[in-house]
Amino acid sequence: VRPLPNLIFTAGRPVQLYLAATEIARDTAGGIRIGEALAPNTVYSVISVENRRDAETLRATGDEYPDDILERYLQLPPSVTARTRELAATLADGQPTPYDIAKAVETHLRTNYAYTYFPPPQPPGSDAVDVFLFEDRRGMCALYASSMAVMLRALGIPARVVAGFGTGDFNAFTNLYEVRADDAHAWVEVYFS
């Protein structure tokens, strides 16, 4: 309905893009960009390779990470509080692998915090993750994702927050997925070697 940035939303590892565009390139994060903003009613198709691994494979990857991954995906702002770091350490205690730690953090967030599209406003100068974890205990996807990424990074596990869109609804008549603004979502990606 409205113009969007020039980022092409994909799933998995894209291998083919069907879109009329004069310029197509990959950005430094591996995203696909075109030379202009996506105009309203733009339709495109992407063929992607699914990047799924089972739990045992991810557990076996260990905790050795390339230096460039550590440099980029362990950064934390100085506002991260001691109690956020302590909660992360408590959740990681006794977990044998980075995968198990990530699952423990995810489970904690899923079971102890309420999802709402209308979280309370953040007090000025506060740390959003700290307020979500210890005061409000409710929020939307961006707060869950930020909290998980911050706690994992505090534990030395590379992670990032990703924002985009869910798959939307499949329209059998047009044979297309219809993705709308309310399909916007944020989630966490955790690096496994």
Side-chain angles (χ1 to χ4, degrees):
V1 176
R2 290 189 274 283
L4 290 172
N6 66 337
L7 179 65
I8 301 297
F9 294 98
T10 69
R13 184 173 50 85
V15 292
Q16 286 183 310
L17 169 63
Y18 296 94
L19 171 70
T22 56
E23 294 178 70
I24 300 173
R26 286 202 184 263
D27 62 23
T28 57
I32 298 174
R33 301 271 180 176
I34 60 173
E36 62 275 343
L38 285 172
N41 300 313
T42 299
V43 175
Y44 62 88
S45 295
V46 178
I47 297 175
S48 299
V49 175
E50 189 175 36
N51 188 15
R52 237 175 242 240
R53 303 289 188 265
D54 62 72
E56 290 312 309
T57 300
L58 296 176
R59 280 188 179 99
T61 63
D63 59 2
E64 296 294 320
Y65 306 109
D67 289 340
D68 62 323
I69 295 296
L70 293 173
E71 184 179 323
R72 187 171 189 155
Y73 297 112
L74 288 184
Q75 297 175 32
L76 286 169
S79 63
V80 175
T81 63
R83 65 184 181 173
T84 296
R85 292 175 188 274
E86 289 166 12
L87 175 59
T90 299
L91 296 172
D93 190 40
Q95 300 299 330
T97 70
Y99 174 82
D100 294 301
I101 293 168
K103 290 303 285 183
V105 171
E106 176 191 31
T107 299
H108 176 78
L109 292 170
R110 282 185 190 271
T111 57
N112 293 289
Y113 300 87
Y115 196 94
T116 178
Y117 289 106
F118 305 102
Q122 294 287 312
S126 67
D127 181 82
V129 168
D130 182 83
V131 172
F132 170 71
L133 291 174
F134 302 105
E135 295 173 27
D136 295 338
R137 302 184 65 82
R138 64 188 189 277
M140 51 195 247
C141 56
L143 288 167
Y144 282 83
S146 296
S147 297
M148 184 169 178
V150 164
M151 287 193 283
L152 292 177
R153 286 180 174 204
L155 296 166
I157 300 171
R160 67 181 180 178
V161 175
V162 181
F165 292 90
T167 56
D169 297 313
F170 183 72
N171 182 327
F173 182 71
T174 63
N175 203 33
L176 299 171
Y177 284 91
E178 296 174 354
V179 180
R180 295 178 175 83
D182 62 356
D183 292 311
H185 193 49
W187 59 93
V188 177
E189 289 184 338
V190 181
Y191 183 88
F192 295 98
S193 297

